[in-house]
């Protein structure tokens, strides 16, 4: 599935997750965030960068890991990304949806 | 169904059992709902209250008797220490797959916005007071209160 963001063609899966991280940049993140009705603040960016780092080091992401990250607690995670935080945040960060139940 | 397309908006879970496997089932379902942007609440009744009883919640066991899926002969399952042994083994396996223990899971649930309620009738029956319960429990309510809280479109009830 292709999607045009800021004039650039981006390939996403049926749930809207980027298929290729090299197509990701901050304007792509902002466009996906806008679709999720989120305005990205500096705090959001810190969390997105953390998620990208974790993904790069091949750490499986879960709500529990977020709580233990030292970056933010679970409550704040739900405040920043109120609807399905892990799913929404990873989508904005341009990384795959975590296959976690916890 | 016209606007919601049948989507689940809120899970109203009733936990009536205090065995580890049932408590985890309720917790995973509630947490999994929140992770998908679905609201979730849990009503703890009868033995389910043990999961939010301060002194008991960290000492829950799996049932080794009357559970064919455990593959322990019933006679052996009833021997002293079997439940504790099976529970310790199960907890070790849970930790391996990054599953939190009951106290930590309760923290995760409340931080995720899951509402916890205790059943008044069961509280009276076991002579528990609100002070006996985990502080994240919102209130002690009746089954009627819980039904009233369950009103709305896309609300599903689940009995465990």
């Amino acid at each position: 599935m292709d999607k045009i963001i800021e004039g650039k063609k981006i390939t996403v899966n049926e749930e809207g997750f980027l298929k290729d991280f090299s197509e990701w940049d901050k304007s792509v993140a902002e466009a996906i965030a806008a679709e999720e009705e989120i305005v990205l603040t500096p705090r959001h960016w810190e969390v997105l960068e953390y998620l990208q780092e974790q993904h790069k080091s091949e750490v499986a992401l879960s709500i529990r890991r977020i709580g233990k990250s030292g970056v933010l607690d679970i409550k704040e995670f739900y405040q920043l990304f109120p609807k399905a935080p892990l799913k929404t945040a990873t989508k904005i960060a341009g990384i795959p949806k975590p296959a976690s139940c916890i | 169904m016209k606007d919601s397309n049948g989507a689940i908006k809120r899970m109203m879970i009733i936990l009536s059992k205090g065995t580890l496997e049932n408590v985890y089932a309720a917790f995973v379902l509630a947490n999994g709902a929140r992770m998908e942007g679905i609201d979730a609440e849990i009503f703890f009744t009868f033995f389910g209250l043990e999961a939010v009883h301060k002194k008991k919640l960290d000492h829950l066991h799996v049932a080794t008797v009357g559970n064919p899926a455990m593959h322990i002969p019933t006679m052996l399952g009833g021997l002293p220490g079997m439940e504790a042994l099976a529970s310790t083994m199960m907890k070790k396996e849970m930790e391996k797959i990054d599953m939190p223990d009951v106290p930590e899971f309760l923290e995760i649930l409340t931080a995720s916005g899951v509402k916890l309620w205790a059943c008044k009738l069961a509280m009276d029956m076991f002579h528990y007071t609100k002070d006996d319960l985990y502080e994240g429990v919102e209130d002690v309510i009746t089954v009627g209160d819980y039904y009233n809280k369950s009103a709305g479109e896309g609300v599903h009830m689940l009995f465990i």
Side-chain angles (χ1 to χ4, degrees):
Chain A
M1 218 164 85
D2 288 340
K3 203 169 164 175
I4 310 288
I5 295 175
E6 305 251 320
K8 268 191 354 181
K9 201 174 80 175
I10 307 288
T11 315
V12 295
N13 70 11
E14 48 304 335
E15 283 188 286
F17 286 78
L18 260 66
K19 283 193 171 170
D20 181 0
F21 183 67
S22 68
E23 293 179 341
W24 184 90
D25 62 27
K26 293 207 165 181
S27 63
V28 171
E30 271 160 2
I32 299 173
E35 283 174 16
E36 302 284 344
E37 295 169 358
I38 292 169
V39 179
L40 297 174
T41 65
R43 189 65 179 135
H44 285 93
W45 286 111
E46 280 175 47
V47 177
L48 295 174
E49 277 161 27
Y50 165 76
L51 293 174
Q52 288 170 343
E53 276 165 32
Q54 293 295 298
H55 177 66
K56 246 184 243 161
S57 25
E58 293 178 7
V59 178
L61 290 163
S62 68
I63 287 284
R64 187 188 191 199
R65 285 278 161 79
I66 298 289
K68 294 188 170 210
S69 65
V71 176
L72 77 169
D73 60 22
I74 295 171
K75 211 168 186 173
E76 191 188 356
F77 196 35
Y78 273 92
Q79 278 159 2
L80 292 171
F81 304 94
K83 206 170 171 14
L86 198 57
K87 209 166 120 180
T88 309
T90 47
K91 192 191 277 183
I92 297 170
I95 58 177
K97 178 183 166 185
S100 165
C101 292
I102 307 156
Chain B
M1 293 290 159
K2 49 191 185 305
D3 296 330
S4 67
N5 202 20
I8 301 174
K9 288 186 184 161
R10 188 151 44 106
M11 286 302 292
M12 300 297 283
I13 298 165
I14 299 162
L15 177 64
S16 68
K17 301 179 186 77
T19 44
L20 204 52
E21 68 272 25
N22 285 295
V23 171
Y24 270 117
F27 286 8
V28 170
L29 286 161
N31 182 59
R34 294 298 300 127
M35 284 176 72
E36 286 298 317
I38 297 165
D39 287 335
E41 306 189 17
I42 308 175
F43 184 64
F44 295 89
T45 187
F46 280 81
F47 298 112
L49 275 177
E50 304 240 322
V52 283
H53 189 287
K54 272 184 210 157
K55 289 191 180 129
K56 301 182 178 187
L57 63 89
D58 204 13
H59 305 282
L60 303 178
H61 282 169
V62 289
T64 50
V65 173
N67 181 2
M70 283 294 289
H71 302 290
I72 297 173
T74 296
M75 293 296 285
L76 290 181
L79 290 176
M82 276 308 281
E83 266 195 7
L85 178 70
S87 302
T88 307
M89 280 166 62
M90 190 159 161
K91 282 175 187 169
K92 271 189 194 154
E93 289 304 314
M94 298 252 187
E95 185 57 44
K96 275 189 214 158
I97 56 163
D98 206 27
M99 183 89 112
D101 60 18
V102 173
E104 188 193 338
F105 219 145
L106 283 169
E107 300 291 327
I108 292 176
L109 292 176
T110 47
S112 306
V114 176
K115 284 187 183 154
L116 310 175
W117 307 99
C119 167
K120 187 179 181 306
L121 183 67
M123 290 285 287
D124 291 347
M125 193 183 105
F126 289 117
H127 306 292
Y128 293 164
T129 64
K130 179 99 181 12
D131 290 338
D132 295 322
L133 302 181
Y134 169 67
E135 59 276 10
V137 174
E138 306 258 337
D139 207 355
V140 179
I141 61 170
T142 66
V143 62
D145 294 333
Y146 197 60
Y147 277 136
N148 288 329
K149 288 179 191 302
S150 306
E153 199 185 353
V155 181
H156 289 238
M157 281 198 131
L158 186 64
F159 182 83
I160 298 172

